[in-house]
Amino acid sequence: MEKTEMQKLLDGEWYRLTDPEIAGRKTSSAALCQEFNAIPENEPEKQTAKAREIFGSAGKNLTVHSRLTVDYGKNIHVGDNFLSNYNLTILDIAPVNMGDNVWIGPDTDIYTVNHPLTAKGRQQRLGIGKTVNIGNDVWIGGHCTICPGVTIGNGVVVAAGAVVTKDIPDNVLVGGLPAKVIKKIEQ
């Protein structure tokens, strides 16, 4: 029996982006994000309740500001004391796991979906999901990009504007394009 496109996605294999089941996830999450983004900033309790409806799981003290854009939402798992500033995009076709005390600056993007390097692969509308893991006590500055398959360790600071393309060890400051370790942080 041949695998469904959803099973390929879940198994970390190339899948077709146009598959109705996969596309259907985006449709329902887009509606929830529209509802979230319509909530005024002076109603944080309503924002928190809607964010909890969107995310797969969230710990205590959840703060998410608008605009929020997600692919699916249910693949997003955040720990306690999560803070996201304005304009967070998480393309969570694969899981995005974040620990406790994660702060995310404005205009940050987290991607779990990648596409083929070949034109033929892109013409076939293929994608592949790669999990993103972010440890505890991480501060991601504004205008950052976290690429598919990246793991960010505990106690990390990602400088504003950084593009994280590779795993980051614990307790370091990283910055640049692509992000590189700038210095060790003594905790």
Side-chain angles (χ1 to χ4, degrees):
M1 180 176 196
E2 188 174 325
K3 288 185 181 182
T4 65
E5 296 302 307
M6 181 62 74
Q7 192 58 53
K8 290 176 190 176
L9 178 141
L10 295 174
D11 289 346
E13 300 171 9
W14 291 103
Y15 65 90
R16 294 201 183 279
L17 302 168
T18 55
D19 178 75
E21 186 178 9
I22 293 168
R25 287 175 153 192
K26 285 185 155 187
T27 302
S28 62
S29 65
L32 288 171
C33 285
Q34 286 175 340
E35 292 170 13
F36 175 87
N37 293 324
I39 299 169
E41 279 293 316
N42 64 354
E43 297 183 25
E45 297 85 13
K46 288 183 180 178
Q47 284 180 316
T48 297
K50 185 57 71 176
R52 287 186 185 284
E53 187 178 340
I54 295 169
F55 290 177
S57 64
K60 63 184 181 188
N61 300 321
L62 176 68
T63 302
V64 179
H65 294 284
S66 62
R67 288 202 48 95
L68 174 65
T69 305
V70 304
D71 254 353
Y72 179 43
K74 295 303 177 194
N75 276 337
I76 301 168
H77 304 279
V78 303
D80 294 340
N81 308 313
F82 177 81
L83 168 66
S84 128
N85 216 312
Y86 304 101
N87 302 317
L88 175 63
T89 297
I90 303 178
L91 302 185
D92 66 312
I93 200 74
V96 175
N97 304 305
M98 298 184 232
D100 295 336
N101 307 305
V102 173
W103 292 4
I104 299 178
D107 300 309
T108 289
D109 301 325
I110 301 171
Y111 305 138
T112 66
V113 65
N114 209 344
H115 304 289
L117 293 178
T118 65
K120 183 177 181 181
R122 291 188 305 276
Q123 290 165 3
Q124 293 175 356
R125 312 283 294 171
L126 295 177
I128 191 166
K130 296 186 180 268
T131 298
V132 169
N133 292 299
I134 299 171
N136 296 313
D137 303 303
V138 173
W139 175 24
I140 300 170
H143 296 277
C144 289
T145 301
I146 312 299
C147 291
V150 166
T151 294
I152 297 174
N154 298 312
V156 170
V157 176
V158 179
V163 177
V164 180
T165 61
K166 295 185 183 330
D167 292 353
I168 305 297
D170 292 348
N171 302 312
V172 294
L173 168 65
V174 299
L177 179 98
K180 293 181 173 36
V181 174
I182 296 170
K183 70 177 189 176
K184 183 90 173 141
I185 299 173
E186 298 301 327
Q187 297 293 346

